[in-house]
Amino acid sequence: MAQPIYTTHHGMVDILPDEVRKWQFLENLIREEAEKFNFEEIRTPIMEKTELIVRGLGQMTDIVSKEIFSFSRGEDNYVLRPELTAPVVRAFVENRLDQRGGSQKLYYIGPMFRAERPQKGRQRQFHQFGLEIMGSSDALADAEVIAFMIHIYHKIGITNTTLKLNSIGDPESRDQYKRALKAHLKPDLEKLSEVSKKRYENNPLRILDSKEEEDRPFIETAPVITEFLSEKSVKHYNKVKEYLGDLGITYEEDPYLVRGMDYYTETAFELISPDLGAQDALAGGGRYDLLVEEIGGLPTPAVGFAAGMERLFIACEELGIRLGSEKKVDVYIVTLGDAARKWGLTQLSKFREKGASATMDYMGRSMKAQMKDANRENARFAVIVGENELNTRQFTLRNMAASEENSLTLDAILQKITGHHT
Ligand code: HAM
C-alpha cells in the first residue's frame, strides 16, 4: 500500500473506533466514581498563557525548560497545557471559586501536551484524569485524594500497585535539605551523570529522581528530606499516614521521592506499577499549599493527583483486563429493492425512538452482502424486507445469534426488540 502523505505528529496518536469504547468506559467510570466522592467536573481551555505555566510549575523544571509546546500570536505567548493543576488554580482564582464556600472538590479528564521523547507509556499528547481539592489543609483531604486514586485502579482490577509516599515539607525545610544534599554530592560532582551535573545548580532535588546507574551510589548515601522537616510538617505527614492506615491503604515510604513540579509542599506520592516498564508511574500528586497565592489568589491550601490514562490501559493489557463492551447494534434493516430501501430509511427512527440502535446498508449492496454486514456489525437482529413483506406487512425478524427467523408485524418486532431494553 502507498505510504500516507499526512501522518500524526511524533508522539501523538489517533484513538480509533475499535479502541474508543475502552476510553468511554474509563471516562464513565471516573465520572460515576467522582460523583460518589462528591467531586464536580471542571473544564479549562487546552491553551494557557505561558507565564502561568512557567510561574506555576517552575522555570527550572524539565517540563518548562524543555517540554512545553509554545507559540505566540501577536503579543501573547501560549502553551498547550502540560498538566492541569496550574490551570485549575488559575480558574479557581479568576472565577473566585472560593466564594462558593467550603472546599472546592474538582475533577477533570482531558488531553495534556509535553514534548518528551516518545516511548512506551510516554507520548507528546496524552490524557490524564485527576482531582484537586482547594481550601483544605487537613490531612483528611490528602487521604481522600489518595483513596480515590487507588479506588479507580481497584475498580478496574489493577491491584498489584505500590503507593510511594513522602513529605517534602515547607520551602524552608526544603532549602535546608537542598543545601545538605549539595554538600553531600559536591565531592563527587565529577562522577555524576551529565544530566545530574546540570541539575546540581538549578534543581538538585531532581538528582534523586535520576535513573542513571552512575548516580546510584551517591543517591543511596544521600541525606533524606524527612530529617529536615519542621514539626508542623512531621505532624501533617504522620496524620496522612494514620488516615491511610485507617483506610487500609498500604504504602511504601520513599524519602527520595521528589515530584517534577516546583509547586509541591508537604505530601508527595506516586502510584507505581510493575507492568509499565521504564515509565512506571501510573499516577502522582501531592499538596501545593502555596500555589494559589503564588499566582495571585488568597492563601489557599490544596492537594490533588493526576493519572495517565494511556498508562492505565498499558497495565490493563499486561494484566489481560478488557475494558468496555464489544461493538454491537440492535437492529440491521436488510432490504431488497428501492421501495424496501425507502421503507427501511423511514422506519429506522421507530427503533431509535424506543431506545434501540438501528442501522441499514448505505452502499446499495445485495441482500447476501447486507446479511454479512449485519454480522460484521454484530447486529442482535436483522429485519428483512422485500416487496412481498411490504405487501403483506409481515416482516422477517432474524435473531442473529440463534439463527432463528419469525414472520411478524412491525409492531410485534418493535415490541420484541425494545422489550429487551426496558
Ligand atoms: P505528573 O506526575 O507530571 O503530575 O503526571 C501525572 C501522570 O500523568 C503520570 O504519573 C503519568 O501516568 C502521566 N504522564 C505524565 N507525562 C506523560 C507522558 N508524556 N505520556 C503519558 N503519560 C504521562 C501532574 O501532572 C500533576 N499535575 C499531578 C497533580 C495534580 N499534582 C497535584 N495535583
Side-chain angles (χ1 to χ4, degrees):
M1 230 185 50
Q3 286 293 315
I5 303 173
Y6 303 111
T7 59
T8 54
H9 270 298
H10 195 43
M12 301 199 177
V13 299
D14 298 312
I15 299 171
L16 300 172
D18 280 345
E19 286 157 51
V20 96
R21 267 177 300 278
K22 75 181 179 199
W23 283 87
Q24 290 167 341
F25 175 91
L26 179 59
E27 289 159 7
N28 291 339
L29 178 76
I30 293 160
R31 292 208 159 85
E32 269 167 35
E33 299 305 318
E35 300 281 325
K36 287 187 199 157
F37 278 68
N38 195 31
F39 280 79
E40 293 174 283
E41 187 174 357
I42 183 161
R43 302 184 189 192
T44 63
I46 298 289
M47 299 193 301
E48 290 285 348
K49 297 217 172 117
T50 307
E51 301 91 83
L52 169 76
I53 300 300
V54 173
R55 186 95 189 257
L57 276 62
Q59 182 88 55
M60 294 306 172
T61 56
D62 285 351
I63 297 181
V64 167
S65 62
K66 50 185 192 216
E67 294 167 3
I68 44 178
F69 285 101
S70 57
F71 53 97
S72 56
R73 188 180 162 84
E75 302 272 278
D76 295 320
N77 293 309
Y78 299 95
V79 296
L80 296 179
R81 62 190 196 188
E83 59 107 50
L84 260 186
T85 306
V88 167
V89 169
R90 193 238 346 109
F92 174 86
V93 173
E94 183 176 343
N95 300 290
R96 296 302 317 262
L97 293 187
D98 56 321
Q99 291 191 341
R100 301 171 84 215
S103 53
Q104 300 304 308
K105 299 172 62 176
L106 308 169
Y107 79 92
Y108 49 80
I109 304 174
M112 312 293 155
F113 304 84
R114 297 184 192 173
E116 299 188 80
R117 196 156 43 81
Q119 63 180 79
K120 188 174 178 196
R122 195 159 78 187
Q123 293 177 190
R124 292 185 157 192
Q125 175 173 344
F126 61 99
H127 297 76
Q128 287 185 341
F129 67 92
L131 301 181
E132 312 292 348
I133 302 181
M134 327 278 305
S136 168
S137 59
D138 198 314
L140 199 135
D142 308 40
E144 273 273 273
V145 162
I146 294 173
F148 178 86
M149 173 181 79
I150 295 198
H151 176 68
I152 294 291
Y153 292 95
H154 278 212
K155 273 257 153 187
I156 286 167
I158 302 174
T159 51
N160 60 340
T161 55
T162 306
L163 173 64
K164 295 217 163 166
L165 191 64
N166 194 17
S167 173
I168 54 169
D170 51 33
E172 295 80 52
S173 352
R174 212 157 344 126
D175 280 346
Q176 276 180 33
Y177 175 63
K178 263 185 212 165
R179 277 197 290 278
L181 180 65
K182 284 175 83 169
H184 163 81
L185 296 171
K186 194 163 187 183
D188 303 299
L189 194 54
E190 279 315 304
K191 297 186 198 136
L192 291 182
S193 67
E194 285 310 311
V195 207
S196 294
K197 267 185 216 149
K198 276 195 202 121
R199 285 176 172 165
Y200 181 82
E201 278 310 327
N202 298 332
N203 202 358
L205 288 190
R206 294 295 291 172
I207 295 179
L208 300 176
D209 217 23
S210 161
K211 300 228 156 65
E212 306 296 324
E213 217 28 67
E214 60 257 55
D215 295 335
R216 279 280 116 222
F218 309 108
I219 295 173
E220 275 161 12
T221 52
V224 292
I225 193 155
T226 15
E227 286 164 13
F228 291 78
L229 297 181
S230 69
E231 210 177 304
K232 192 167 158 255
S233 296
V234 170
K235 222 166 139 193
H236 182 85
Y237 190 32
N238 285 340
K239 237 0 195 185
V240 173
K241 290 188 278 187
E242 183 188 324
Y243 287 145
L244 290 179
D246 292 340
L247 292 171
I249 296 173
T250 51
Y251 53 85
E252 237 174 55
E253 285 184 73
D254 179 355
Y256 297 121
L257 173 74
V258 285
R259 304 263 309 129
M261 297 81 163
D262 286 354
Y263 52 62
Y264 288 107
T265 54
E266 312 292 344
T267 320
F269 57 86
E270 260 172 23
L271 191 68
I272 306 297
S273 160
D275 299 313
L276 291 181
Q279 304 302 317
D280 63 355
L282 283 169
R287 266 204 171 271
Y288 48 98
D289 289 341
L290 305 172
L291 182 60
V292 180
E293 212 179 341
E294 172 76 24
I295 66 169
L298 298 170
T300 309
V303 59
F305 87 95
M309 295 169 78
E310 284 81 2
R311 291 192 193 174
L312 183 150
F313 292 132
I314 295 175
C316 283
E317 241 162 66
E318 294 295 325
L319 295 167
I321 298 169
R322 279 186 62 107
L323 300 183
S325 50
E326 290 285 309
K327 169 188 171 60
K328 63 173 177 37
V329 63
D330 293 316
V331 185
Y332 193 114
I333 302 182
V334 173
T335 63
L336 179 66
D338 262 358
R341 206 166 143 77
K342 245 192 165 113
W343 181 88
L345 174 66
T346 53
Q347 302 312 302
L348 285 169
S349 60
K350 293 232 169 86
F351 293 98
R352 294 168 181 163
E353 273 160 18
K354 288 206 154 33
S357 51
T359 191
M360 64 185 287
D361 165 66
Y362 294 165
M363 296 170 76
R365 284 176 282 202
S366 72
M367 264 180 103
K368 197 171 154 212
Q370 290 178 52
M371 285 307 291
K372 232 172 131 179
D373 198 40
N375 250 323
R376 196 185 51 79
E377 294 285 337
N378 213 358
R380 285 172 55 222
F381 292 97
V383 176
I384 304 164
V385 196
E387 210 170 313
N388 211 7
E389 283 81 359
L390 285 181
N391 289 333
T392 60
R393 297 277 141 192
Q394 293 279 320
F395 306 93
T396 306
L397 179 70
R398 184 179 173 85
N399 180 324
M400 301 295 283
S403 298
E404 266 172 28
E405 286 188 3
N406 283 301
S407 190
L408 298 168
T409 62
L410 182 62
D411 279 346
I413 288 176
L414 279 165
Q415 179 67 33
K416 203 167 163 127
I417 292 174
T418 54
H420 281 79
H421 272 268
T422 47

